[in-house]
Amino acid sequence: MERCAWANSSLAMQAYHDNEWGHPQHDSQRLFELLCLETYQAGLSWQTVLNKRAAFDEDFADYNIERVAAMTSADVDRLLTDARIIRHRQKLMATINNARVIRDWPAGDNFADWLWSFVDGHPIRQAWSSIDELPATNALAQRVSKEMKRRGFKFVGPTTIYSYLQATGIINDHVIDCPWAPENRSV
């Protein structure tokens, strides 16, 4: 058995696939980080994002929601001078905006519970035979995207959200022959 073919291009991609992708995440800060990474990836390769991940972690205080939400336009201007990251003003501003949305989440609820409520708390397993079968988006991603936009999130189109749902383990798209597919994992 081999891991999902998309993950074989580098050691960083393999590590991400093996240790993170598709693992159910329920921590709001970790979910925020993955949302940011998917935002940065829009229009770029995932390898590019992984290559810049450590610098993003540093610049955004390990995605501490409170600290990121407190950032200002002056911080964005400073970040735009950091060649170690993806310097895209709208994506950087979306990171701050999205931190504020999560920080200001209605009392009695939290972002993680809200996100997982779309699947009643249980990951969706899609047992594809090949990565060629994976869609760019689906009805769930379209619904989550629409609701996220309604709540004020930025850079959360259906394709980005589909990738996000895969990354967070809400959708498990490991191909059926992958050793990390749930049916191939021993408990």
Side-chain angles (χ1 to χ4, degrees), residues 126-139:
Q126 300 184 130
W128 307 107
S129 297
S130 158
I131 63 168
D132 296 332
E133 294 177 337
L134 273 71
T137 191
N138 68 8

Side-chain angles (χ1 to χ4, degrees), residues 10-86:
S10 73
L11 291 176
M13 292 285 275
Q14 290 172 6
Y16 173 72
H17 171 275
D18 297 356
N19 302 312
E20 296 182 73
W21 191 71
H23 293 229
Q25 295 296 328
H26 295 274
D27 177 75
S28 289
Q29 183 169 327
R30 182 81 173 109
L31 289 166
F32 172 59
E33 175 189 6
L34 291 170
L35 178 61
C36 294
L37 295 175
E38 293 296 342
T39 297
Y40 308 143
Q41 190 272 329
L44 301 171
S45 74
W46 190 247
Q47 183 67 58
T48 298
V49 172
L50 289 179
N51 291 344
K52 295 176 180 289
R53 188 176 192 179
F56 274 121
D57 288 348
E58 182 182 321
D59 284 350
F60 286 114
D62 293 320
Y63 294 96
N64 178 290
I65 294 167
E66 290 292 331
R67 290 182 62 188
V68 175
M71 295 176 88
T72 66
S73 58
D75 291 307
V76 173
D77 290 341
R78 177 184 48 79
L79 292 170
L80 287 169
T81 68
D82 186 350
R84 303 172 308 146
I85 66 170
I86 296 163

